[in-house]
Amino acid sequence: MKIDTIGVQAFVAIAECGSFQTAAESLFLSQAGITRRLQNLEDYLGVKLIERTTRSMALTQVGAEFLPHAKRLLIELAGSLNEIRDSGRLKRGSVTIACVPTVGVRFLPRIIQAYSRQYPENHIKILDHTSAGVSRAVLQREAEFGITIAGSHHAELFGVPLIEDKFVLVCRDDHPLANLPALEWRDLEPHPLISIGQFSGNRPLLDRAQQENGVSLQSLYEVQRVSTALGRVAEGVGAAVLPGLALQREAYPRIRVLKLGNPVVSRGLVLITRKTAELSPAAEALYELVKSYQDNAE
Amino acid sequence: MKIDTIGVQAFVAIAECGSFQTAAESLFLSQAGITRRLQNLEDYLGVKLIERTTRSMALTQVGAEFLPHAKRLLIELAGSLNEIRDSGRLKRGSVTIACVPTVGVRFLPRIIQAYSRQYPENHIKILDHTSAGVSRAVLQREAEFGITIAGSHHAELFGVPLIEDKFVLVCRDDHPLANLPALEWRDLEPHPLISIGQFSGNRPLLDRAQQENGVSLQSLYEVQRVSTALGRVAEGVGAAVLPGLALQREAYPRIRVLKLGNPVVSRGLVLITRKTAELSPAAEALYELVKSYQDNAE
DNA sequence: GATTATTTTTGCGAAAAACTGATCAATCTC
DNA sequence: GAGATTGATCAGTTTTTCGCAAAAATAATC
């Protein structure tokens, strides 16, 4: 059950060089070493592979049959090994990460651009998930790391805070609040709002903020996705409290975005990995890049 | 440029066992040894392949991608190596030999039968050649050994005499010589004979025999193959001096075979190999078998 | 046919490496 | 929190490997 390539390597070298001496040189070894290696292999196999005199050398029947296999195996092994080495040295390979939709749309693109400039060959796959889904994907190793909304940590996960995404009021320019200079949560109470459904990670944050500040907002309409809410606002149905990062400014010209104070409520975005994770070099590079964007966010 | 399977073997074992301890046992190694082997491989690759805590272990992204390749390579290598080992231990494999047509038809079949009983899996390929062709085939390694007519040895060839194939007179039952009790070469002089062409290894033997004994035979007809000569004899064209082994008794009912004395001329059959040859185990076995038939021939 | 020259094999001491056993650290179970 | 299990680490020993030099083998040459 003792498998070793060292002898095979010697065999192939000798066969290709046509001489022990040159083969030894090509393997940076003394000719005595080569002889020993081949002898060991032949002893193990119980068959001579190379027929040799001092003047000439030729493959045995068995040796000739083995050579192509041996060569191919060696090349494939070396290839695999080198590929992995490259993946480490050059941080090559593809990376799969998971994040909540907002992050994927607004936060990541510029980071990915920067990453692609540095590692043009690498492919990044982004899994859009709810905040719970991101944790799950990371835990199950579907993604090497994730970006999600701060909250309850799973014990095996390790989080690094990235940025605070402040909640803002979104309304159309003809909304009563549209032109107020400063806005507080209490100001919203009279106005019916479009709210985001249960599954979004934003909801618990908003509910708690209301409770702690004794504010009670009216939910007029409940939608599941931020983009839907935005559409309703644009249609004039009402205003909505949304995470600032979720907005794509250009999409609707008449929409106003107002800062909300007293208190400033925000959702923290965190970069999560498994505590014991060994990231692939390509992923490690992206991870570090994301971390470096910690503060220069909106 | 340093390729070695030992680490890869450890990696695969660990991945498959799901534990260092059991992997160590499966490789008949201590746990520390396994750890070391994997560490060496990982150091060489510059990448962690297995993510491990004392309690759990899982493949890294890179490791997971590598595992199937590694497994396949190892299996193929072990397979090739074992195949060769078997070829030695069980003398498995196919053998190619070269011989002159006569031998292939009359001398070899029973040997091959015996060989096949002992090594039913082995395949024997026989190359029919002229006597010069047999030498060439052996020298050029087309055949592992050969059986041909004794004569000039090439320096690199080594011959073992096998049997003496005596020349006989072949004639139809209505031929004047057909019923003579004993026959000498001189008796043939009055009769026109069918002779075998230049390329046959028999010709020089016959010519020399005539010269040495002052006998001069009449060549009526020259054909290239023994079987053709036999056909002509059967048609009543004349008699022929042929090597005894060449005859298939059953073929022509009216044909008589007469021993030729004074002198008895025979062609020696020799078993030839290259002097430096390393026969494959399967060939070696056949070689020895052929040699054992040295004397019990017709 | 003996000699020479070249190349492989072998012997041996030194060096490197791998292996083991014990111990340590971390995690999980009870 | 104690005990058990598992991988990592370390030191010491064994094994293997390597390179040099001498020897053996073989082809070429004279």
Side-chain angles (χ1 to χ4, degrees), chain A residues 91 111 115 118-119 145 160 162 271 273 279-294:
Chain A
K91 303 190 194 305
I111 300 183
Y115 185 81
Q118 204 171 349
Y119 308 107
F145 62 85
V160 177
L162 276 180
L271 187 55
T273 53
L279 297 182
S280 73
E284 177 78 32
L286 181 57
Y287 181 86
E288 291 302 325
L289 192 62
V290 170
K291 228 162 62 174
S292 76
Y293 275 74
Q294 255 176 333

PDB file of all heavy atoms in Angstrom, chain A residues 91 111 115 118-119 145 160 162 271 273 279-294:
ATOM      1  N   LYS A  91      -3.524  34.263  -5.730  1.00  0.00           N
ATOM      2  CA  LYS A  91      -4.897  34.420  -5.240  1.00  0.00           C
ATOM      3  C   LYS A  91      -5.902  34.230  -6.375  1.00  0.00           C
ATOM      4  O   LYS A  91      -6.813  35.019  -6.569  1.00  0.00           O
ATOM      5  CB  LYS A  91      -5.079  35.790  -4.586  1.00  0.00           C
ATOM      6  CG  LYS A  91      -4.088  36.022  -3.455  1.00  0.00           C
ATOM      7  CD  LYS A  91      -4.442  37.269  -2.679  1.00  0.00           C
ATOM      8  CE  LYS A  91      -3.280  37.685  -1.783  1.00  0.00           C
ATOM      9  NZ  LYS A  91      -2.844  36.620  -0.883  1.00  0.00           N
ATOM     10  N   ILE A 111     -16.815  47.730  -4.913  1.00  0.00           N
ATOM     11  CA  ILE A 111     -15.765  46.878  -4.348  1.00  0.00           C
ATOM     12  C   ILE A 111     -15.363  45.812  -5.359  1.00  0.00           C
ATOM     13  O   ILE A 111     -14.188  45.541  -5.582  1.00  0.00           O
ATOM     14  CB  ILE A 111     -16.259  46.208  -3.053  1.00  0.00           C
ATOM     15  CG1 ILE A 111     -16.636  47.278  -2.036  1.00  0.00           C
ATOM     16  CG2 ILE A 111     -15.198  45.281  -2.496  1.00  0.00           C
ATOM     17  CD1 ILE A 111     -17.070  46.737  -0.704  1.00  0.00           C
ATOM     18  N   TYR A 115     -11.849  44.942  -7.066  1.00  0.00           N
ATOM     19  CA  TYR A 115     -11.302  43.585  -6.985  1.00  0.00           C
ATOM     20  C   TYR A 115     -10.965  43.057  -8.376  1.00  0.00           C
ATOM     21  O   TYR A 115      -9.916  42.457  -8.589  1.00  0.00           O
ATOM     22  CB  TYR A 115     -12.310  42.670  -6.295  1.00  0.00           C
ATOM     23  CG  TYR A 115     -11.817  41.268  -6.052  1.00  0.00           C
ATOM     24  CD1 TYR A 115     -10.994  40.973  -4.976  1.00  0.00           C
ATOM     25  CD2 TYR A 115     -12.187  40.222  -6.900  1.00  0.00           C
ATOM     26  CE1 TYR A 115     -10.555  39.691  -4.736  1.00  0.00           C
ATOM     27  CE2 TYR A 115     -11.747  38.932  -6.673  1.00  0.00           C
ATOM     28  CZ  TYR A 115     -10.928  38.662  -5.584  1.00  0.00           C
ATOM     29  OH  TYR A 115     -10.495  37.386  -5.367  1.00  0.00           O
ATOM     30  N   GLN A 118      -7.821  44.208  -9.806  1.00  0.00           N
ATOM     31  CA  GLN A 118      -6.623  43.571  -9.263  1.00  0.00           C
ATOM     32  C   GLN A 118      -6.497  42.107  -9.677  1.00  0.00           C
ATOM     33  O   GLN A 118      -5.415  41.613  -9.922  1.00  0.00           O
ATOM     34  CB  GLN A 118      -6.660  43.681  -7.738  1.00  0.00           C
ATOM     35  CG  GLN A 118      -5.281  43.612  -7.108  1.00  0.00           C
ATOM     36  CD  GLN A 118      -5.332  43.932  -5.619  1.00  0.00           C
ATOM     37  OE1 GLN A 118      -6.351  44.403  -5.111  1.00  0.00           O
ATOM     38  NE2 GLN A 118      -4.244  43.649  -4.941  1.00  0.00           N
ATOM     39  N   TYR A 119      -7.635  41.415  -9.726  1.00  0.00           N
ATOM     40  CA  TYR A 119      -7.627  39.981 -10.067  1.00  0.00           C
ATOM     41  C   TYR A 119      -8.578  39.736 -11.216  1.00  0.00           C
ATOM     42  O   TYR A 119      -9.668  39.210 -11.014  1.00  0.00           O
ATOM     43  CB  TYR A 119      -8.030  39.143  -8.860  1.00  0.00           C
ATOM     44  CG  TYR A 119      -7.232  39.444  -7.623  1.00  0.00           C
ATOM     45  CD1 TYR A 119      -7.793  40.149  -6.571  1.00  0.00           C
ATOM     46  CD2 TYR A 119      -5.909  39.025  -7.521  1.00  0.00           C
ATOM     47  CE1 TYR A 119      -7.049  40.430  -5.428  1.00  0.00           C
ATOM     48  CE2 TYR A 119      -5.164  39.299  -6.391  1.00  0.00           C
ATOM     49  CZ  TYR A 119      -5.738  40.005  -5.346  1.00  0.00           C
ATOM     50  OH  TYR A 119      -5.011  40.281  -4.225  1.00  0.00           O
ATOM     51  N   PHE A 145     -17.911  33.799   2.632  1.00  0.00           N
ATOM     52  CA  PHE A 145     -18.287  34.732   3.699  1.00  0.00           C
ATOM     53  C   PHE A 145     -19.540  35.466   3.266  1.00  0.00           C
ATOM     54  O   PHE A 145     -20.049  35.243   2.156  1.00  0.00           O
ATOM     55  CB  PHE A 145     -17.137  35.695   4.054  1.00  0.00           C
ATOM     56  CG  PHE A 145     -16.701  36.601   2.940  1.00  0.00           C
ATOM     57  CD1 PHE A 145     -17.348  37.806   2.707  1.00  0.00           C
ATOM     58  CD2 PHE A 145     -15.628  36.244   2.133  1.00  0.00           C
ATOM     59  CE1 PHE A 145     -16.936  38.646   1.688  1.00  0.00           C
ATOM     60  CE2 PHE A 145     -15.212  37.078   1.108  1.00  0.00           C
ATOM     61  CZ  PHE A 145     -15.872  38.284   0.885  1.00  0.00           C
ATOM     62  N   VAL A 160     -17.674  41.255  11.581  1.00  0.00           N
ATOM     63  CA  VAL A 160     -16.925  42.513  11.607  1.00  0.00           C
ATOM     64  C   VAL A 160     -17.870  43.612  11.128  1.00  0.00           C
ATOM     65  O   VAL A 160     -18.386  43.539  10.017  1.00  0.00           O
ATOM     66  CB  VAL A 160     -15.718  42.455  10.654  1.00  0.00           C
ATOM     67  CG1 VAL A 160     -15.003  43.789  10.646  1.00  0.00           C
ATOM     68  CG2 VAL A 160     -14.792  41.330  11.034  1.00  0.00           C
ATOM     69  N   LEU A 162     -19.317  46.703   9.413  1.00  0.00           N
ATOM     70  CA  LEU A 162     -18.830  47.384   8.218  1.00  0.00           C
ATOM     71  C   LEU A 162     -19.256  48.849   8.219  1.00  0.00           C
ATOM     72  O   LEU A 162     -18.448  49.737   8.444  1.00  0.00           O
ATOM     73  CB  LEU A 162     -19.398  46.697   6.966  1.00  0.00           C
ATOM     74  CG  LEU A 162     -18.636  45.483   6.460  1.00  0.00           C
ATOM     75  CD1 LEU A 162     -19.321  44.924   5.229  1.00  0.00           C
ATOM     76  CD2 LEU A 162     -17.202  45.867   6.136  1.00  0.00           C
ATOM     77  N   LEU A 271     -19.798  41.945   8.195  1.00  0.00           N
ATOM     78  CA  LEU A 271     -19.123  40.974   7.351  1.00  0.00           C
ATOM     79  C   LEU A 271     -19.008  39.732   8.217  1.00  0.00           C
ATOM     80  O   LEU A 271     -18.435  39.783   9.300  1.00  0.00           O
ATOM     81  CB  LEU A 271     -17.744  41.556   7.052  1.00  0.00           C
ATOM     82  CG  LEU A 271     -16.817  40.881   6.073  1.00  0.00           C
ATOM     83  CD1 LEU A 271     -17.494  40.694   4.744  1.00  0.00           C
ATOM     84  CD2 LEU A 271     -15.576  41.773   5.923  1.00  0.00           C
ATOM     85  N   THR A 273     -18.055  35.582   8.808  1.00  0.00           N
ATOM     86  CA  THR A 273     -17.404  34.342   8.373  1.00  0.00           C
ATOM     87  C   THR A 273     -17.617  33.323   9.477  1.00  0.00           C
ATOM     88  O   THR A 273     -17.951  33.688  10.597  1.00  0.00           O
ATOM     89  CB  THR A 273     -15.884  34.523   8.225  1.00  0.00           C
ATOM     90  OG1 THR A 273     -15.369  35.051   9.438  1.00  0.00           O
ATOM     91  CG2 THR A 273     -15.550  35.421   7.076  1.00  0.00           C
ATOM     92  N   LEU A 279     -10.381  30.740   4.601  1.00  0.00           N
ATOM     93  CA  LEU A 279     -10.810  31.250   3.299  1.00  0.00           C
ATOM     94  C   LEU A 279      -9.801  30.865   2.221  1.00  0.00           C
ATOM     95  O   LEU A 279      -8.606  30.775   2.492  1.00  0.00           O
ATOM     96  CB  LEU A 279     -10.937  32.766   3.364  1.00  0.00           C
ATOM     97  CG  LEU A 279     -11.985  33.300   4.333  1.00  0.00           C
ATOM     98  CD1 LEU A 279     -12.039  34.824   4.257  1.00  0.00           C
ATOM     99  CD2 LEU A 279     -13.353  32.715   4.030  1.00  0.00           C
ATOM    100  N   SER A 280     -10.325  30.664   1.034  1.00  0.00           N
ATOM    101  CA  SER A 280      -9.416  30.471  -0.088  1.00  0.00           C
ATOM    102  C   SER A 280      -8.694  31.794  -0.312  1.00  0.00           C
ATOM    103  O   SER A 280      -9.208  32.858   0.037  1.00  0.00           O
ATOM    104  CB  SER A 280     -10.193  30.068  -1.335  1.00  0.00           C
ATOM    105  OG  SER A 280     -10.889  31.177  -1.847  1.00  0.00           O
ATOM    106  N   PRO A 281      -7.503  31.733  -0.870  1.00  0.00           N
ATOM    107  CA  PRO A 281      -6.738  32.966  -1.052  1.00  0.00           C
ATOM    108  C   PRO A 281      -7.516  34.022  -1.830  1.00  0.00           C
ATOM    109  O   PRO A 281      -7.465  35.212  -1.501  1.00  0.00           O
ATOM    110  CB  PRO A 281      -5.509  32.502  -1.820  1.00  0.00           C
ATOM    111  CG  PRO A 281      -5.368  31.072  -1.462  1.00  0.00           C
ATOM    112  CD  PRO A 281      -6.755  30.553  -1.308  1.00  0.00           C
ATOM    113  N   ALA A 282      -8.243  33.575  -2.850  1.00  0.00           N
ATOM    114  CA  ALA A 282      -9.017  34.526  -3.643  1.00  0.00           C
ATOM    115  C   ALA A 282     -10.094  35.187  -2.781  1.00  0.00           C
ATOM    116  O   ALA A 282     -10.344  36.390  -2.878  1.00  0.00           O
ATOM    117  CB  ALA A 282      -9.648  33.814  -4.833  1.00  0.00           C
ATOM    118  N   ALA A 283     -10.712  34.383  -1.919  1.00  0.00           N
ATOM    119  CA  ALA A 283     -11.761  34.915  -1.056  1.00  0.00           C
ATOM    120  C   ALA A 283     -11.161  35.821   0.014  1.00  0.00           C
ATOM    121  O   ALA A 283     -11.708  36.879   0.341  1.00  0.00           O
ATOM    122  CB  ALA A 283     -12.537  33.777  -0.408  1.00  0.00           C
ATOM    123  N   GLU A 284     -10.034  35.398   0.521  1.00  0.00           N
ATOM    124  CA  GLU A 284      -9.340  36.185   1.539  1.00  0.00           C
ATOM    125  C   GLU A 284      -9.067  37.597   1.032  1.00  0.00           C
ATOM    126  O   GLU A 284      -9.283  38.591   1.736  1.00  0.00           O
ATOM    127  CB  GLU A 284      -8.020  35.490   1.894  1.00  0.00           C
ATOM    128  CG  GLU A 284      -7.146  36.216   2.885  1.00  0.00           C
ATOM    129  CD  GLU A 284      -7.628  36.044   4.315  1.00  0.00           C
ATOM    130  OE1 GLU A 284      -8.192  34.967   4.605  1.00  0.00           O
ATOM    131  OE2 GLU A 284      -7.456  36.978   5.118  1.00  0.00           O
ATOM    132  N   ALA A 285      -8.619  37.670  -0.211  1.00  0.00           N
ATOM    133  CA  ALA A 285      -8.307  38.973  -0.792  1.00  0.00           C
ATOM    134  C   ALA A 285      -9.556  39.842  -0.866  1.00  0.00           C
ATOM    135  O   ALA A 285      -9.530  41.037  -0.539  1.00  0.00           O
ATOM    136  CB  ALA A 285      -7.696  38.788  -2.183  1.00  0.00           C
ATOM    137  N   LEU A 286     -10.654  39.228  -1.277  1.00  0.00           N
ATOM    138  CA  LEU A 286     -11.904  39.997  -1.384  1.00  0.00           C
ATOM    139  C   LEU A 286     -12.378  40.417   0.003  1.00  0.00           C
ATOM    140  O   LEU A 286     -12.855  41.546   0.208  1.00  0.00           O
ATOM    141  CB  LEU A 286     -12.974  39.147  -2.082  1.00  0.00           C
ATOM    142  CG  LEU A 286     -14.331  39.824  -2.277  1.00  0.00           C
ATOM    143  CD1 LEU A 286     -14.189  41.116  -3.072  1.00  0.00           C
ATOM    144  CD2 LEU A 286     -15.310  38.890  -2.974  1.00  0.00           C
ATOM    145  N   TYR A 287     -12.212  39.517   0.947  1.00  0.00           N
ATOM    146  CA  TYR A 287     -12.626  39.787   2.325  1.00  0.00           C
ATOM    147  C   TYR A 287     -11.893  41.011   2.866  1.00  0.00           C
ATOM    148  O   TYR A 287     -12.492  41.925   3.435  1.00  0.00           O
ATOM    149  CB  TYR A 287     -12.309  38.550   3.172  1.00  0.00           C
ATOM    150  CG  TYR A 287     -12.698  38.641   4.622  1.00  0.00           C
ATOM    151  CD1 TYR A 287     -13.988  38.302   5.038  1.00  0.00           C
ATOM    152  CD2 TYR A 287     -11.780  39.029   5.597  1.00  0.00           C
ATOM    153  CE1 TYR A 287     -14.340  38.349   6.372  1.00  0.00           C
ATOM    154  CE2 TYR A 287     -12.124  39.088   6.932  1.00  0.00           C
ATOM    155  CZ  TYR A 287     -13.406  38.752   7.324  1.00  0.00           C
ATOM    156  OH  TYR A 287     -13.759  38.802   8.639  1.00  0.00           O
ATOM    157  N   GLU A 288     -10.608  41.030   2.641  1.00  0.00           N
ATOM    158  CA  GLU A 288      -9.818  42.159   3.136  1.00  0.00           C
ATOM    159  C   GLU A 288     -10.218  43.454   2.445  1.00  0.00           C
ATOM    160  O   GLU A 288     -10.267  44.515   3.049  1.00  0.00           O
ATOM    161  CB  GLU A 288      -8.322  41.887   2.927  1.00  0.00           C
ATOM    162  CG  GLU A 288      -7.761  40.786   3.817  1.00  0.00           C
ATOM    163  CD  GLU A 288      -7.955  41.092   5.301  1.00  0.00           C
ATOM    164  OE1 GLU A 288      -7.870  42.287   5.680  1.00  0.00           O
ATOM    165  OE2 GLU A 288      -8.217  40.147   6.075  1.00  0.00           O
ATOM    166  N   LEU A 289     -10.526  43.326   1.171  1.00  0.00           N
ATOM    167  CA  LEU A 289     -10.925  44.503   0.410  1.00  0.00           C
ATOM    168  C   LEU A 289     -12.226  45.068   0.968  1.00  0.00           C
ATOM    169  O   LEU A 289     -12.377  46.273   1.171  1.00  0.00           O
ATOM    170  CB  LEU A 289     -11.081  44.132  -1.071  1.00  0.00           C
ATOM    171  CG  LEU A 289     -11.209  45.299  -2.046  1.00  0.00           C
ATOM    172  CD1 LEU A 289      -9.959  46.157  -2.000  1.00  0.00           C
ATOM    173  CD2 LEU A 289     -11.451  44.788  -3.452  1.00  0.00           C
ATOM    174  N   VAL A 290     -13.170  44.173   1.220  1.00  0.00           N
ATOM    175  CA  VAL A 290     -14.458  44.619   1.761  1.00  0.00           C
ATOM    176  C   VAL A 290     -14.229  45.306   3.098  1.00  0.00           C
ATOM    177  O   VAL A 290     -14.783  46.373   3.384  1.00  0.00           O
ATOM    178  CB  VAL A 290     -15.415  43.425   1.940  1.00  0.00           C
ATOM    179  CG1 VAL A 290     -16.653  43.850   2.724  1.00  0.00           C
ATOM    180  CG2 VAL A 290     -15.812  42.861   0.590  1.00  0.00           C
ATOM    181  N   LYS A 291     -13.372  44.709   3.910  1.00  0.00           N
ATOM    182  CA  LYS A 291     -13.127  45.273   5.239  1.00  0.00           C
ATOM    183  C   LYS A 291     -12.541  46.682   5.125  1.00  0.00           C
ATOM    184  O   LYS A 291     -12.820  47.553   5.955  1.00  0.00           O
ATOM    185  CB  LYS A 291     -12.167  44.365   6.023  1.00  0.00           C
ATOM    186  CG  LYS A 291     -12.677  44.077   7.408  1.00  0.00           C
ATOM    187  CD  LYS A 291     -12.038  42.879   8.060  1.00  0.00           C
ATOM    188  CE  LYS A 291     -10.558  43.000   8.281  1.00  0.00           C
ATOM    189  NZ  LYS A 291     -10.070  41.838   9.064  1.00  0.00           N
ATOM    190  N   SER A 292     -11.760  46.902   4.091  1.00  0.00           N
ATOM    191  CA  SER A 292     -11.135  48.208   3.955  1.00  0.00           C
ATOM    192  C   SER A 292     -12.152  49.277   3.567  1.00  0.00           C
ATOM    193  O   SER A 292     -11.862  50.471   3.612  1.00  0.00           O
ATOM    194  CB  SER A 292     -10.024  48.152   2.905  1.00  0.00           C
ATOM    195  OG  SER A 292     -10.594  48.129   1.603  1.00  0.00           O
ATOM    196  N   TYR A 293     -13.347  48.866   3.203  1.00  0.00           N
ATOM    197  CA  TYR A 293     -14.389  49.837   2.854  1.00  0.00           C
ATOM    198  C   TYR A 293     -15.247  50.175   4.072  1.00  0.00           C
ATOM    199  O   TYR A 293     -16.297  50.779   3.958  1.00  0.00           O
ATOM    200  CB  TYR A 293     -15.291  49.286   1.748  1.00  0.00           C
ATOM    201  CG  TYR A 293     -14.760  49.522   0.361  1.00  0.00           C
ATOM    202  CD1 TYR A 293     -13.700  48.791  -0.129  1.00  0.00           C
ATOM    203  CD2 TYR A 293     -15.316  50.506  -0.462  1.00  0.00           C
ATOM    204  CE1 TYR A 293     -13.191  48.997  -1.387  1.00  0.00           C
ATOM    205  CE2 TYR A 293     -14.834  50.731  -1.725  1.00  0.00           C
ATOM    206  CZ  TYR A 293     -13.766  49.972  -2.190  1.00  0.00           C
ATOM    207  OH  TYR A 293     -13.275  50.194  -3.453  1.00  0.00           O
ATOM    208  N   GLN A 294     -14.799  49.746   5.244  1.00  0.00           N
ATOM    209  CA  GLN A 294     -15.564  49.899   6.470  1.00  0.00           C
ATOM    210  C   GLN A 294     -16.133  51.294   6.656  1.00  0.00           C
ATOM    211  O   GLN A 294     -17.289  51.460   7.020  1.00  0.00           O
ATOM    212  CB  GLN A 294     -14.660  49.587   7.670  1.00  0.00           C
ATOM    213  CG  GLN A 294     -14.955  48.248   8.285  1.00  0.00           C
ATOM    214  CD  GLN A 294     -13.969  47.943   9.396  1.00  0.00           C
ATOM    215  OE1 GLN A 294     -12.847  48.421   9.385  1.00  0.00           O
ATOM    216  NE2 GLN A 294     -14.403  47.148  10.343  1.00  0.00           N
TER     217      GLN A 294
END
